[in-house]
C-alpha cells in the first residue's frame, strides 16, 4: 500500500521536478536578457543624464563665454565707430561749412536747420566736441537771422563811401555780439580784410580828380598787391581785366585766341572767342544800320519817310531785344 503510494507519488514528483527544471531553464534563458536590458536602460539613463548635465554645464559656460566674447566685440565696434568720427575744430573753413549746410536748407525754418545740424554732428564729430559744434552753429544761424533783419548789403556803384563804411560797421557790431574774439577771427577776419581793401578801392574809384582809366589801374594794382584772401576773392576781376588787355592788344581774333589760351587755357579761350565773334557781329550790324541811316539822311526825303524806312530796316535786321539795345546805342 505504502509502496503503491510511493510509486504513484514518484511520477508526480518527477513532473514537479521537470516543471522546476523547465522553469529554471526558462528563467535562465530569459532572465539574463531582461536584467541586461534593465541594466542597459539604467546605464543609458545615467549616461544620458550625465551627458545632459555636462551639456547644460557646458552650455551655460558656452553662453557665458559667448557673452564674454560679445563684450569685447561691442567695444571693438564702438571703438571703430569712434575712429570714424573726428573732433570738431574751429578753423578758417568752418564758416564755409556752415554756409553750405544752411544753403541746402534755405527753405527750412531756422529752428529746423539748427535741429538738423544737431543730428548731423552726432554722425561726424566725436561726442566730446559735438556740443561745441552745435552751439557755435546755433549762434551762427542766429547771427544770419539778425543780419537779414537789417539792410547791410550795399551797391558799391551807387552808394557813397560814407554809406558803405556805415553798413560795414553795422555788420561788424552784429558779428561781435554773437561771437568771441577767437570765433570772430576764424569766421570773419579774412572777409573783414577783403571788405577793408574794397573800401579803400572805393575811395580811389570815387576820387573824381583822377581820370577814369587811372582810377581803374590803381584799383587793379591794389588788388594784385593784396593778401591771398583778397586776390582769391577778386581773381575773376583780375582775370577779366587781363583778358580785356589782351583783346585791346590783338586786333586779329586768332592772335587774341592764342594769347588767352596761353594764359588761361584753351577752354577759356574758346569761350571768349565765341563771345568776341558775337560782339563783332553785333558791332557790324550796328555799323551797317548807321551807314544806312546816314545814307538816307543825305537824301531829300521827308522825316516821316526816313523814320518809316528805318523802322522797316530795324524790323528786317534786328530782333525786338536787339532793337531796344540799338535804340539806346544810337539814340534812335
Amino acid at each position: 500500500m505504502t509502496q503503491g503510494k510511493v510509486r504513484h507519488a514518484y511520477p508526480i514528483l518527477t513532473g514537479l521536478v521537470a516543471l522546476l527544471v523547465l522553469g529554471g531553464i526558462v528563467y535562465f534563458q530569459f532572465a539574463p536578457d531582461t536584467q541586461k536590458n534593465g541594466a542597459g536602460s539604467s546605464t543609458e539613463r545615467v549616461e544620458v543624464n550625465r551627458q545632459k548635465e555636462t551639456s547644460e554645464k557646458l552650455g551655460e559656460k558656452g553662453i557665458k563665454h559667448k557673452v564674454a566674447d560679445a563684450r569685447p566685440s561691442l567695444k571693438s565696434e564702438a571703438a571703430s565707430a569712434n575712429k570714424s568720427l573726428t573732433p570738431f575744430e574751429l578753423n578758417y573753413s568752418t564758416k564755409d561749412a556752415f554756409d553750405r549746410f544752411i544753403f541746402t536748407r534755405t527753405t527750412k525754418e531756422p529752428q529746423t536747420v539748427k535741429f538738423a545740424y544737431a543730428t548731423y554732428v552726432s554722425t561726424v564729430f566725436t561726442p566730446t566736441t559735438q556740443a561745441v559744434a552745435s552751439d557755435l552753429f546755433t549762434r551762427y544761424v542766429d547771427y544770419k537771422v539778425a543780419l537779414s533783419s537789417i539792410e547791410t548789403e550795399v551797391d558799391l556803384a551807387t552808394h557813397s563811401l560814407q554809406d558803405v563804411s556805415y553798413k560795414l560797421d553795422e555788420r561788424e557790431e552784429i558779428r561781435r555780439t554773437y561771437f568771441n574774439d577767437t570765433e570772430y577771427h576764424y569766421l570773419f577776419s579774412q572777409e573783414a580784410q577783403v571788405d577793408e581793401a574794397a573800401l579803400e578801392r572805393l575811395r580811389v574809384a570815387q576820387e573824381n580828380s583822377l581820370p577814369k582809366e587811372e582810377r581803374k589801374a590803381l584799383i587793379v594794382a591794389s588788388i594784385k598787391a593784396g593778401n591771398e584772401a583778397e586776390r582769391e576773392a577778386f581773381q575773376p576781376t583780375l582775370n577779366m581785366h587781363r583778358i580785356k588787355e589782351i583783346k585791346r592788344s590783338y586786333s586779329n581774333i586768332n592772335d587774341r585766341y592764342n594769347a588767352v589760351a596761353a594764359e588761361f587755357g584753351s577752354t577759356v579761350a574758346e569761350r571768349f572767342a565765341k563771345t568776341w565773334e558775337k560782339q563783332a557781329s553785333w558791332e557790324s550790324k550796328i555799323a551797317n544800320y548807321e551807314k544806312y541811316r546816314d545814307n538816307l539822311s543825305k537824301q531829300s526825303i521827308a522825316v516821316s519817310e526816313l523814320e518809316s524806312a528805318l523802322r522797316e530796316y530795324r524790323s528786317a535786321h534786328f530782333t525786338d531785344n536787339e532793337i531796344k539795345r540799338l535804340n539806346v546805342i544810337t539814340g534812335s
Side-chain angles (χ1 to χ4, degrees), residues 213-226:
E213 290 302 320
E214 186 175 345
R215 280 180 282 165
K216 186 184 296 185
L218 287 172
I219 291 172
V220 172
S222 69
I223 293 174
K224 291 180 178 179

Side-chain angles (χ1 to χ4, degrees), residues 94-129:
T94 300
K95 180 179 180 296
D96 291 337
F98 283 174
D99 285 334
R100 284 195 298 271
F101 192 91
I102 295 171
F103 179 76
T104 57
R105 296 163 179 81
T106 52
T107 60
K108 306 295 183 182
E109 293 295 324
Q111 197 61 35
T112 303
V113 177
K114 293 177 187 178
F115 179 77
Y117 191 81
T119 304
Y120 166 77
V121 297
S122 65
T123 65
V124 178
F125 302 123
T126 54
T128 56
T129 62

Side-chain angles (χ1 to χ4, degrees), residues 140-152:
Y140 187 76
V141 172
D142 291 339
Y143 154 74
K144 298 286 279 188
V145 172
L147 201 63
S148 65
S149 65
I150 62 172
E151 185 187 358
T152 56

